[in-house]
Amino acid sequence: MTVSTAVDDIRENCAVLVDHIMARVPRYVLLAEERAPAIAWIDARAKSIIATTGHIRVHAEAGLMALANGEPSLWNDNRVPKDVHHILMNDPLPIGVSKKCCFMCYQLSTALMGGNAGKRFELPGTHGRIFPWDPPPFGDIEPVLEELAKALVDQVLQHAQEQGRRVADAS
């Protein structure tokens, strides 16, 4: 199995990311008896994800949103066929995928619509699950990546808090 560059990057930086999240646990998980289980959950999830992730891809809906959000110069140089240009310029742009979107794709749509009030996306909703996700390397989404990272950390902390509460309630 070939491991992608993104997976290599994650494996190399996992400890830094986990430390970043762990440093926020005391401010997010207020009850002391919930902190240790929350920290254990974060550590276990990080190790599990690193061990089982072999490849990370750009999700189709994220790629379409990034293309639609692309630099205007992209549309003026004949690299994109006119019919594709016409479709991507729809507002709102319906994006049909066979399932509800993952957490990160849905957050990307929210961030892009917030920063670009002129473009709206119609997605089938989100199931809220977090999957390995590589942001599209095109479409001028750099300005929203920090917002997406913050949303992901907040979501992990929320799940850790819920896990800490479950463990504390069970004991």
Side-chain angles (χ1 to χ4, degrees), residues 28 41 153-163 165:
Y28 204 91
W41 180 85
V153 169
D154 287 346
Q155 187 72 4
V156 168
L157 287 168
Q158 180 182 338
H159 284 290
Q161 180 184 35
E162 291 167 5
Q163 182 64 23
R165 188 173 295 129

Side-chain angles (χ1 to χ4, degrees), residues 10-148:
I10 289 170
R11 288 181 177 157
E12 287 176 22
N13 296 303
C14 181
V16 173
L17 177 60
V18 170
D19 288 347
H20 174 80
I21 294 170
M22 297 282 199
R24 284 149 181 76
V25 169
R27 288 178 295 197
Y28 204 91
V29 181
L30 300 179
L31 298 176
E33 64 271 13
E34 294 177 2
R35 280 191 205 122
I39 289 169
W41 180 85
I42 291 168
D43 189 52
R45 290 296 296 161
K47 287 176 181 170
S48 171
I49 289 167
I50 293 304
T52 59
T53 300
H55 196 75
I56 299 175
R57 294 176 175 85
V58 173
H59 294 187
E61 57 271 37
L64 287 170
M65 288 184 286
L67 279 175
N69 191 64
E71 290 291 317
S73 62
L74 176 67
W75 309 117
N76 298 326
D77 68 3
N78 296 326
R79 288 189 291 176
V80 177
K82 295 295 181 202
D83 53 346
V84 173
H85 174 249
H86 178 73
I87 291 168
L88 292 177
M89 290 299 102
N90 282 328
D91 189 28
L93 176 62
I95 298 177
V97 289
S98 63
K99 298 177 183 177
K100 290 185 175 187
C101 298
C102 74
F103 175 80
M104 291 305 294
C105 287
Y106 200 79
Q107 289 298 314
L108 177 63
S109 73
T110 301
L112 290 175
M113 287 190 297
N116 183 8
K119 189 64 166 180
R120 294 171 297 154
F121 304 104
E122 289 180 353
L123 296 167
T126 181
H127 48 65
R129 292 194 60 202
I130 299 170
F131 292 106
W133 188 86
D134 200 8
F138 47 81
D140 193 34
I141 66 163
E142 285 288 324
V144 300
L145 290 180
E146 189 171 326
E147 182 180 339
L148 293 177

